[in-house]
DNA sequence: CGAATTGTTAAGCACATACTTAAGTATTCT
DNA sequence: AGAATACTTAAGTATGTGCTTAACAATTCG
């Protein structure tokens, strides 16, 4: 249990592709699925009402991001999650949080809670204009 | 120091917009900047070689995602990071990691390290076809 | 060998994204 | 009041994304 989160941090370019990969419900569902262990392409595609090539494209995005790895054995491609990349993305977020929270932002933070829960998430995020 | 990461988890739709917001270098740079405390719109725009409206659009994406909040005082809009949302995104990644790593994926993981560092990140992630 | 299985490649299309410039509004300064 | 400041809104554009269908491998089964 040593070596906790001490990987090489993700580059800016890598963060682009990793977070972009995560910004899609199908791809996140695939990741969730892969948490239960490796799976073949068609096995991953089964739950979704979408063509096989569409899922393969999602898998390419995931693999290019480093969030999953895959290996083709015979005619079956087995995909698995890459925990290290997940952890690196998590680490980036952690760094956005930890040093920020130790500052006197806490005061500003505290004061902003004047408007309560209704400020958390408006119904239509993209139509805020 | 109680209440550590026990927020309401982000919905699928919220994860979409949060990770999409994070998938852009300008927006991440803005978040990094806001870790040092609140800032005005033009103050945030200054470092980037891009028009003010472009930065404002990024800020709208960030605010719609819940990653930042903003308040207009007089003619100045002050933006600040919302640590709670950052933490919720981090938590989602943590859940993708922790329960996965406790499984026998570890074996699969271990075996896959046969191909070492060269497998980590090819130079051109999107041109893998 | 021939057929089924499993995945891959290519081309195309509708829509979203990340900008731009131009023009407008609200606030503060003099 | 008039001018400067600090955004805001609108409209347009080039490129990217998420699918689709059709056709093409490569592997395994009978």
């Amino acid at each position: 249990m040593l070596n906790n989160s001490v990987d090489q941090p993700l580059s800016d370019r890598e963060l682009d592709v990793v977070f972009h990969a995560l910004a899609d419900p199908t791809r996140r569902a695939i990741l969730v699925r892969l948490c239960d262990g490796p799976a073949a392409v068609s096995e991953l595609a089964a739950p979704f009402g979408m063509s096989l090539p569409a899922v393969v494209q999602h898998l390419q995005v995931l693999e290019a991001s480093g969030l999953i790895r895959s290996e083709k054995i015979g005619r079956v491609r087995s995909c698995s999650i890459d925990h290290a990349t997940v952890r690196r993305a998590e680490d980036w977020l952690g760094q956005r949080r930890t040093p920020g929270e130790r500052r006197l932002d806490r005061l500003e933070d505290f004061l902003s809670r004047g408007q309560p829960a209704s400020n958390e998430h408006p119904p239509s995020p993209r139509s805020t204009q």
Side-chain angles (χ1 to χ4, degrees), chain A:
Chain A
M1 275 300 186
L2 303 177
N3 190 30
N4 196 27
S5 297
V6 287
D7 300 272
Q8 186 97 338
L10 290 166
S11 71
D12 214 45
R13 177 104 181 51
E14 287 167 335
L15 289 164
D16 279 359
V17 296
V18 167
F19 284 128
H20 170 249
L22 292 168
D24 180 278
T26 303
R27 288 193 292 260
R28 285 195 308 276
I30 288 171
L31 280 180
V32 168
R33 171 62 229 279
L34 290 178
C35 281
D36 288 340
V41 171
S42 50
E43 194 180 345
L44 290 170
F48 305 106
M50 129 184 7
S51 68
L52 222 217
V55 173
V56 169
Q57 281 168 26
H58 283 303
L59 291 173
Q60 285 170 351
V61 170
L62 283 167
E63 187 156 18
S65 77
L67 285 166
I68 73 169
R69 280 171 276 112
S70 79
E71 191 186 6
K72 193 158 184 178
I73 302 169
R75 63 186 170 184
V76 173
R77 177 171 297 278
S78 175
C79 302
S80 56
I81 200 165
D82 187 336
H83 301 297
T85 306
V86 177
R87 194 190 314 118
R88 286 191 199 117
E90 200 182 347
D91 287 347
W92 189 90
L93 289 172
Q95 286 169 10
R96 268 356 93 200
R97 202 167 54 76
T98 317
E101 279 174 332
R102 71 157 189 259
R103 285 185 50 83
L104 67 160
D105 290 344
R106 299 199 62 117
L107 175 60
E108 205 274 340
D109 213 8
F110 188 77
L111 293 173
S112 297
R113 315 243 164 164
Q115 318 106 297
S118 68
N119 193 25
E120 274 306 81
H121 242 294
S124 309
R126 287 319 299 252
S127 39
T128 315
Q129 32 174 342

